[in-house]
Amino acid sequence: MTVSSDGRRASLDFQGTLDAHMVRELEQRLADPRLTEAREWVLHMDNLTHLDLTCAYALLRVAATRSDAVAITVRGARRNVQRTLREVGFDAVARFQP
């Protein structure tokens, strides 16, 4: 996952596979100060082929525990990735776009 930001909007680009052995690295990247400063996150997931529940919960935990509101958009997620995100309740904090 790579992070870029213009200060207001952060873009998170995902690729490949995210499973349990990668959760620590994912959590470290999600602690990026640019994400804390941004009011909007765009998660580009069109190149993400697999997301397991552990990493999906890590995403949810970071989004749900912010002290201020952030608008989250998930773009391009494959059906299996969307299903995993919905299973953990990520659709309560984010909107999905094709």
Side-chain angles (χ1 to χ4, degrees), residues 5 14-15 34-35 40 43 49 65 81 96:
S5 177
F14 295 85
Q15 60 185 359
R34 293 174 292 180
L35 295 177
E40 181 181 352
L43 283 59
T49 57
T65 59
V81 171
F96 290 77

Side-chain angles (χ1 to χ4, degrees), residues 35-41 63 65-72 93:
L35 295 177
T36 306
E37 297 166 1
R39 308 295 271 155
E40 181 181 352
W41 295 356
T65 59
R66 279 189 52 131
S67 59
D68 57 343
V70 61
I72 302 173
V93 297

Side-chain angles (χ1 to χ4, degrees), residues 58-97:
L59 282 169
L60 178 63
R61 188 171 42 257
V62 170
T65 59
R66 279 189 52 131
S67 59
D68 57 343
V70 61
I72 302 173
T73 303
V74 175
R75 288 197 181 144
R78 297 169 194 246
R79 189 177 310 234
N80 63 320
V81 171
Q82 284 187 37
R83 185 176 356 175
T84 303
L85 289 168
R86 292 181 197 281
E87 282 180 24
V88 301
F90 201 72
D91 53 335
V93 297
R95 62 189 175 112
F96 290 77
Q97 293 181 344

Side-chain angles (χ1 to χ4, degrees), residues 9-70:
R9 176 185 293 169
S11 292
L12 294 81
D13 294 308
F14 295 85
Q15 60 185 359
T17 300
L18 282 177
D19 38 23
H21 76 279
M22 301 176 77
V23 74
R24 180 164 296 183
E25 180 182 346
L26 176 62
E27 289 172 334
Q28 289 172 347
R29 290 183 186 225
L30 291 171
D32 188 310
R34 293 174 292 180
L35 295 177
T36 306
E37 297 166 1
R39 308 295 271 155
E40 181 181 352
W41 295 356
V42 180
L43 283 59
H44 298 278
M45 295 191 155
D46 39 337
N47 292 319
L48 185 63
T49 57
H50 175 76
L51 175 69
D52 81 348
L53 287 171
T54 305
C55 290
Y57 276 117
L59 282 169
L60 178 63
R61 188 171 42 257
V62 170
T65 59
R66 279 189 52 131
S67 59
D68 57 343
V70 61

